[in-house]
Amino acid sequence: MHPMVKPALRRGWRDLNTVQFGMTPAHAMTLGPMDTATGSFLELLNGTRGLALLREEGRRMDLPDGHVDALVERLAESGLLDDARGGGPAADALRGKKEVLDRLRPDLASLSLTASEPGDAISRLAARRSLRVQVRGAGRVGAVLACLLSGAGVGEVDVRDGGRVEPWDLAPGGLPAEAVGDRRDEAARRAVRRAAPDRPPRRGPAAPPDDGPGFSLVILAPRDDVAVHAPSPSTADPLMASGMPHLYAGVVEGTGVVGPLVLPGETGCAGCLHEDRTDRDPAWPRLVAQWRSGKPRQARPCDLTLATAVAGLAAAHALAFLDGRAPSSAGARWEVSLPGLHWHARPVPAHPACPCGAAEKGEGEHLAEDGRPRETMAGQRPSEARRTAGAARLAGTWRAHV
C-alpha cells in the first residue's frame, strides 16, 4: 500500500491544532488536536512511499512507535485515504494507459470523494471499461447522454434509433452538423467513439442489432415526447422479463424528466407509473390514447439547454448505478420545467395492480429506513452514517464538520 491523503479534498487549518479536509459539507471532515510533527507527517502521505518507508520517516520525526500505522488506519476508516497503487489488475492496466487516465483524472478525483476504501476509486473507474450500456434514442437528449457515458469511461455504449439525422437533432456534445442526412444510429455511434478516452473497436455497419443480454443498463431516451411523458409499459416488457435495469430520460413540452430507474421486481416501473396515474386521474388512459394516436409533429419542443441538463443528470444517475450506488431516480422521476427550473422528485411507487411484482415484495424489502432504495450492488460504499461513525471512533480526535 502507498497511502495518499485524497488530493481531491483541499486541506486547511481551522486553528493552530485543527486540520480540515475538504470544503463542502457533504465531504468535509476535521482532525484535531493535531501536533506539529503529525501535521508535518501528513505531507508525506502523497502516494510516493510505502508503509515501511513511512515508518522510517516517522521515526526520524520522533513520532511514537505505532503512530504512523494508527494514523494511516484511522484516515482509511474515515474515507480520507487513497492507495496510489491499489485497485487490482484492472486499475494497473488503466494506469498503463497514461493518455486515457489523463483524460479521466477529473472523474477519478470525483470518484475518490465517495470511495470507501483506499484504491476503490480507480477500481470503480477501471471497472467502467468492461461495462456495456445501450441508449435507445439519438435525439438531443439521447445522443448527448451516450457521448457523456462514453467520455466518462464506459467501455461500450451502443445507440439504437431509426430514421436519419434532421437539423433539429443536432446538439453540442451530441450529433454534429455534418451528420445531417446520415442514419441516426450510425451517426450517434460515431459521436460516441469520438467521445471515448480509449477508442473501442469499431463495429461494422452490417453488425446485427444487439438487444440481448450483456448490457449493464438500458437507457430509454425517446425523441417522441408522448413516450417521455407516458412511457408505454409494453416497450419495456422484454427488459422486465429479462430483469434488465433501465432508466428513462427525455424532454416533454418544456419539462425535463430523469427516471425512474427501474430495477425489475424491486422498484416502480412504467406499468406502476401508469396504474398510479390512473388511480389519481381516471381520464388518464383516455388522454394517453389520444396523445399516442395524434398526428406526429415534425419538431417537438425540446429546449437545447434543458435537453443538455437532462442528458447530464441522466448520465450522472446512470454512472452512479453502474458504479454500484443507488441513485435517487430508483423508484422516482426527477422533473424540471421552464422557466423556473426547480428540480423535484415524483415518487413512482410499486403498484399492486402492476404485473411487475415489485409491490409483492413489500416496501420494506428494498427500501432503506429513509425510504430510498437500498444499495444492493457489489462494491457499494458504507453509508454516510457509517462514515461519520468511523470518524467518531478515532479516540475522540475526529469529528465531522458541517
Side-chain angles (χ1 to χ4, degrees):
M1 181 178 180
H2 282 61
M4 173 175 60
V5 176
K6 291 180 179 179
L9 294 171
R10 288 189 178 273
R11 193 186 317 168
W13 288 84
R14 296 183 62 83
D15 52 43
L16 292 177
N17 58 7
T18 308
V19 182
Q20 177 172 320
F21 298 87
M23 297 185 289
T24 63
H27 304 293
M29 299 187 73
T30 58
L31 169 60
M34 170 73 70
D35 60 82
T36 302
T38 303
S40 299
F41 183 80
L42 287 176
E43 300 296 331
L44 304 181
L45 297 177
N46 56 15
T48 62
R49 301 168 178 83
L51 281 173
L53 184 55
L54 287 170
R55 294 186 189 106
E56 292 182 13
E57 297 283 0
R59 284 192 290 270
R60 279 196 286 268
M61 298 172 68
D62 294 325
L63 294 176
D65 290 342
H67 186 77
V68 169
D69 289 88
L71 179 63
V72 168
E73 180 181 356
R74 291 167 181 173
L75 286 167
E77 287 180 352
S78 299
L80 295 173
L81 202 67
D82 207 347
D83 183 357
R85 298 189 183 179
D92 290 338
L94 180 55
R95 291 189 187 97
K97 294 178 172 286
K98 184 180 183 304
E99 291 185 1
V100 176
L101 184 57
D102 284 347
R103 279 275 303 272
L104 295 171
R105 285 195 186 280
D107 304 87
L108 177 60
S110 180
L111 280 171
S112 75
L113 296 176
T114 55
S116 57
E117 303 291 339
D120 189 35
I122 195 167
S123 175
R124 290 178 185 272
L125 188 63
R128 290 181 183 178
R129 304 177 70 212
S130 65
L131 300 179
R132 301 178 67 225
V133 174
Q134 186 178 77
V135 178
R136 298 183 182 179
R140 280 187 161 187
V141 173
V144 174
L145 199 166
C147 290
L148 288 172
L149 294 177
S150 179
V154 175
E156 182 181 341
V157 182
D158 182 46
V159 186
R160 296 289 164 183
D161 205 342
R164 296 190 176 274
V165 177
E166 301 288 353
W168 46 84
D169 293 323
L170 308 183
L175 298 178
E178 57 268 23
V180 173
D182 295 344
R183 284 182 47 176
R184 279 197 184 90
D185 54 358
E186 292 183 359
R189 290 173 196 150
R190 288 197 300 268
V192 164
R193 287 194 295 271
R194 285 194 297 267
D198 191 10
R199 298 289 179 87
R202 179 173 181 175
R203 297 177 61 181
D210 187 354
D211 295 308
F215 292 110
S216 302
L217 178 68
V218 171
I219 302 175
L220 305 170
R223 290 176 290 109
D224 178 11
D225 50 1
V226 177
V228 173
H229 188 55
S232 172
S234 62
T235 301
D237 279 347
L239 301 175
M240 297 296 293
S242 64
M244 175 64 64
H246 49 286
L247 173 69
Y248 293 88
V251 172
V252 50
E253 294 181 352
T255 294
V257 178
V258 175
L261 169 65
V262 180
L263 309 178
E266 295 285 338
T267 62
C269 65
C272 295
L273 177 63
H274 178 79
E275 295 292 346
D276 181 63
R277 282 173 161 173
T278 302
D279 287 347
R280 292 184 287 109
D281 181 5
W284 174 256
R286 186 181 309 116
L287 289 170
V288 172
Q290 294 175 70
W291 294 333
R292 288 176 179 162
S293 61
K295 183 179 179 180
R297 289 172 288 186
Q298 187 179 46
R300 301 169 180 86
C302 185
D303 181 87
L304 180 61
T305 56
L306 180 60
T308 304
V310 168
L313 185 63
H317 280 246
L319 288 172
F321 172 76
L322 295 171
D323 290 338
R325 314 294 167 82
S328 57
S329 56
R333 277 165 61 106
W334 281 96
E335 298 181 0
V336 62
S337 298
L338 299 172
L341 298 174
H342 299 296
W343 284 100
H344 60 275
R346 295 185 184 275
V348 180
H351 198 284
C354 181
C356 73
E360 297 175 5
K361 280 183 166 288
E363 293 183 357
E365 291 192 25
H366 55 267
L367 296 181
E369 293 179 0
D370 58 3
R372 293 179 297 178
R374 294 186 186 277
E375 297 181 353
T376 58
M377 296 189 63
Q380 67 194 21
R381 74 184 184 99
S383 67
E384 288 303 315
R386 178 178 168 190
R387 182 174 182 267
T388 303
R393 287 197 302 269
L394 303 183
T397 62
W398 291 81
R399 57 188 180 274
H401 173 66
V402 179

